[in-house]
Amino acid sequence: LSAVLLFDGQAKGEQMRIPDQVLEDLTDYAKNLQKSTYDLYKHDFSVYYGVVASDLLPPSLLHEALTAESLVVIPHGQLHLLPWAGLMHDERRLFEQLPVGILPNLSVLSELSIPATPQQVALVGVSNYQDMQQLDDLPNAKLEVENIRSVYAAANVGIQGPLLDEAATEAAFWELASGISGDGNVLHISCHGTMVPLEPMSSGLLLFDSKVDAAEVASARLPFAEVVLSACSTGWRPTQVQDVVLNADEILGIPGGFLESGASAVLVSIPKAEGKAARALTTNYHQRRVAGDSPLQAFKAAQEN
């Protein structure tokens, strides 16, 4: 592994060998993410497999990075699938030590700006799928949207929607997005998410009647600087499509779609999302945002709570 730390205007690079057992663990972890019947405990990479941050990053660079105000990790290959903020280091999670985010590649970093305090929020949630009986109901989705609506109402932030259940159609979503303008807008969606390993740009968000997929989002210009997706597997991205290994850091999948559409911050879940936990985390995240925290600071606070 080759790692470069960009910090205080300087660049420092080091190389290290990742142990074979860690590579095997990473492969097993990545396969588990795609299973329909998955092992929930494997999602906690450090606790289940015993792999800590210094097994994946040169210790000296990691030590220096943790003295910063925040850390943005730009991984490679299967390392994109890791919950970097949740990795252990010195018996604490990285998010307990500083705010941690992820980007798909270094080029994206130069294009992003930190979203300002939210000016408007658009809310979408689907708690039941009457026409898609194979999908389980999501009772926490509606509660989550109502909680977040209350957060922004109390802060006198403009609210668009919410689109709930049968009103949360694909057509209504695009109409909602087209009716919003200005800077500092936030989109929050709570619904089922789906991954399509063989066609990653077909991965998407299941609204009441149809799917909004990554390709559609990437080709649009959306008015949202910040996007929160409370849905399963929205942070998953492929490292291989059929026989093609994606060694370059292409922007594929749902997060890449929203970055292409103009977002500067996208909050997603790499594994399956548990309803109550997602509702607690996203509600706390939005509370911290309206209080003035940056997206990374708000994410850190939400994880700690």
Side-chain angles (χ1 to χ4, degrees):
L1 178 140
S2 298
V4 177
L5 174 66
L6 304 179
F7 186 32
D8 270 350
Q10 298 183 342
K12 297 180 180 180
E14 287 191 24
Q15 290 185 324
M16 63 175 283
R17 177 177 173 79
I18 299 178
D20 291 341
Q21 183 58 55
V22 173
L23 294 176
E24 291 177 14
D25 292 339
L26 181 58
T27 298
D28 183 66
Y29 163 84
K31 289 180 178 178
N32 184 60
L33 291 175
Q34 296 188 45
K35 291 181 178 178
S36 57
T37 303
Y38 59 92
D39 188 336
L40 174 66
Y41 296 101
K42 289 184 178 182
H43 295 166
D44 194 334
F45 194 65
S46 283
V47 171
Y48 185 89
Y49 296 98
V51 178
V52 297
S54 57
D55 292 324
L56 299 164
L57 295 173
S60 61
L61 294 187
L62 177 61
H63 176 76
E64 186 172 355
L66 293 178
T67 67
E69 293 182 3
S70 61
L71 173 63
V72 176
V73 181
I74 302 173
H76 179 69
Q78 285 188 322
L79 298 179
H80 278 287
L81 298 175
L82 287 179
W84 283 93
L87 294 182
M88 300 293 295
H89 179 68
D90 288 345
E91 300 183 350
R92 291 193 298 161
R93 308 278 186 179
L94 288 185
F95 70 74
E96 295 179 283
Q97 303 176 54
L98 80 173
V100 179
I102 305 173
L103 283 178
N105 58 54
L106 191 58
S107 299
V108 173
L109 183 62
S110 64
E111 300 295 327
L112 299 184
S113 59
I114 298 175
T117 301
Q119 300 301 306
Q120 293 187 87
V121 60
L123 300 174
V124 181
V126 184
S127 62
N128 67 80
Y129 292 82
Q130 295 176 1
D131 296 331
M132 302 182 195
Q133 296 181 359
Q134 73 275 21
L135 297 176
D136 294 333
D137 287 347
L138 300 173
N140 280 283
K142 187 172 184 179
L143 295 172
E144 180 176 292
V145 169
E146 291 172 346
N147 288 350
I148 293 165
R149 180 181 187 179
S150 297
V151 168
Y152 284 100
N156 294 317
V157 172
I159 299 171
Q160 301 296 325
L163 301 178
L164 288 173
D165 292 338
E166 62 271 12
T169 63
E170 183 179 6
F173 166 74
W174 291 113
E175 183 178 357
L176 180 72
S178 66
I180 299 174
S181 60
D183 299 323
N185 301 318
V186 179
L187 170 66
H188 179 102
I189 300 181
S190 180
C191 65
H192 275 297
T194 180
M195 68 164 76
V196 185
L198 296 181
E199 295 184 30
M201 294 307 288
S202 293
S203 298
L205 303 163
L206 298 177
L207 299 184
F208 186 77
D209 63 338
S210 186
K211 178 175 67 174
V212 174
D213 64 38
E216 292 175 301
V217 171
S219 63
R221 187 66 186 175
L222 297 176
F224 304 111
E226 185 174 353
V227 177
V228 178
L229 303 178
S230 184
C232 292
S233 306
T234 46
W236 178 86
R237 52 171 292 167
T239 56
Q240 181 172 336
V241 178
Q242 296 184 347
D243 295 330
V244 179
V245 177
L246 303 176
N247 285 323
D249 295 318
E250 297 92 350
I251 304 181
L252 294 177
I254 299 172
F258 278 100
L259 289 173
E260 289 280 5
S261 78
S264 291
V266 185
L267 180 57
V268 293
S269 175
I270 295 172
K272 302 291 193 295
E274 195 282 321
K276 290 183 179 179
R279 174 160 58 100
L281 185 140
T282 57
T283 300
N284 192 276
Y285 173 85
H286 288 289
Q287 289 172 334
R288 297 311 311 165
R289 285 292 286 130
V290 299
D293 285 359
S294 70
L296 275 185
Q297 290 170 330
F299 183 44
K300 178 182 187 297
Q303 289 173 301
E304 290 175 325
N305 289 332

